[in-house]
């Protein structure tokens, strides 16, 4: 009697296992078909082969996207306008060479994530970022960016020290909302336009 109960238990257990395995394979095939519907021939492949194919396909797509991102980043790096990408906590994620020149950012390197306030002291830039984040629409603002220029006086007098000189630059900024609370800022140098308008 005990052996019959044992055999019956084994049969029931195997039946449940086979049924669950069939369900898993069916759900896996359905899931993979929803990602890449390619006809009936795909259903003849084993689930592991389908998973391998899908992973390979996804890897190739990711590789292409990374190449495209690299190309765009190289283009923006060489652009004649400044660009900054700011995260939701107002940290500088990335900026191009022109932005570093315009805003006198000299304590940042690509790959670093630092608070923008540590690198650039500009109330107007902070306000542009916040307005863009709050409205989730493109914002435009013009302002004069003031920065301190340090001048070495040793050439004129050996006993003289470094002196500070306040410089200014007319800037126009465009704030663009990005996904996940990030903000993109494009910066234009308006100094030449302002200088021409003053002479007329």
């Amino acid at each position: 009697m005990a052996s019959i109960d044992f055999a019956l238990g084994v049969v029931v257990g195997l039946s449940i296992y086979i049924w669950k395995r069939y369900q898993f394979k069916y759900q896996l095939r359905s899931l993979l078909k929803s990602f890449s519907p390619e006809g009936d021939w795909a259903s003849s492949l084993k689930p592991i082969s389908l998973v391998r194919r899908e992973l390979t396909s996804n890897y190739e797509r990711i590789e292409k996207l990374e190449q495209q991102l690299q190309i765009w980043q190289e283009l923006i790096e060489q652009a004649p306008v400044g660009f900054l990408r700011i995260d939701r906590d107002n940290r500088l994620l990335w900026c191009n060479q022109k932005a570093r020149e315009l805003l006198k950012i000299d304590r940042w390197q690509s790959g670093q994530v630092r608070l923008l306030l540590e690198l650039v002291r500009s109330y107007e830039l902070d306000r542009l970022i916040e307005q863009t984040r709050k409205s989730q629409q493109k914002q435009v603002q013009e302002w004069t960016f003031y920065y301190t220029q340090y001048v070495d006086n040793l050439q004129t007098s050996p006993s003289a020290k470094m002196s500070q000189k306040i410089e200014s630059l007319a800037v126009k900024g465009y704030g663009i909302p990005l996904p996940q609370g990030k903000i993109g800022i494009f910066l234009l140098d308006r100094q030449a336009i302002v200088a021409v308008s003053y002479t007329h």
Side-chain angles (χ1 to χ4, degrees):
M1 188 68 179
S3 60
I4 294 172
D5 289 341
F6 174 75
L8 188 61
V10 169
V11 169
V12 170
L14 281 172
S15 300
I16 292 171
Y17 169 75
I18 291 167
W19 172 246
K20 289 287 184 186
R21 192 161 179 249
Y22 171 78
Q23 274 189 320
F24 172 74
K25 283 185 176 182
Y26 177 78
Q27 289 172 352
L28 185 59
R29 286 180 197 275
S30 300
L31 181 64
L32 292 172
K33 278 184 182 179
S34 70
F35 284 117
S36 55
E38 297 179 14
D40 294 335
W41 69 270
S43 63
S44 64
L45 295 173
K46 291 182 178 179
I48 191 68
S49 301
L50 291 171
V51 169
R52 192 178 292 117
R53 277 181 59 247
E54 193 61 34
L55 286 174
T56 302
S57 176
N58 283 339
Y59 177 76
E60 288 171 356
R61 282 196 292 267
I62 289 168
E63 210 171 41
K64 285 179 183 176
L65 287 172
E66 284 177 347
Q67 288 172 357
Q68 290 175 1
L69 181 64
Q70 183 68 29
I71 289 168
W72 280 109
Q73 192 158 314
E74 287 172 6
L75 285 172
I76 293 174
E77 179 64 31
Q78 302 301 322
V81 297
F83 178 76
L84 304 99
R85 189 157 52 98
I86 313 297
D87 73 1
R88 63 170 64 249
D89 298 317
N90 284 354
R91 294 178 300 183
L92 178 63
L93 299 176
W94 189 81
C95 66
N96 68 356
Q97 180 62 36
K98 189 64 177 180
R100 293 194 288 274
E101 290 172 8
L102 291 174
L103 299 177
K104 310 303 174 189
I105 299 173
D106 54 5
R107 293 175 292 123
W108 178 87
Q109 294 178 350
S110 184
Q112 284 185 336
V113 178
R114 294 181 60 181
L115 280 172
L116 184 63
L117 187 62
E118 294 177 10
L119 304 167
V120 182
R121 297 297 175 97
S122 173
Y123 167 75
E124 293 84 1
L125 178 59
D126 291 340
R127 189 172 62 179
L128 176 60
I129 292 167
E130 288 309 312
Q131 286 176 345
T132 306
R133 184 175 287 121
K134 187 176 180 180
S135 67
Q136 283 300 297
Q137 293 181 352
K138 183 181 85 169
Q139 299 291 318
V140 182
Q141 189 169 328
E142 294 179 5
W143 73 94
T144 301
F145 174 60
Y146 293 95
Y147 59 95
T148 304
Q149 187 78 24
Y150 291 94
V151 180
D152 188 354
N153 295 322
L154 289 176
Q155 294 177 355
T156 57
S157 171
S159 61
K161 297 181 180 179
M162 298 276 287
S163 63
Q164 295 182 3
K165 184 181 178 184
I166 303 297
E167 299 281 353
S168 65
L169 180 71
V171 178
K172 187 171 187 176
Y174 297 82
I176 311 290
L178 300 174
Q180 300 174 340
K182 297 183 178 73
I183 301 295
I185 300 290
F186 287 96
L187 294 171
L188 296 179
D189 181 352
R190 297 186 65 255
Q191 193 62 35
I193 297 170
V194 171
V196 168
S197 65
Y198 277 142
T199 58
H200 292 318

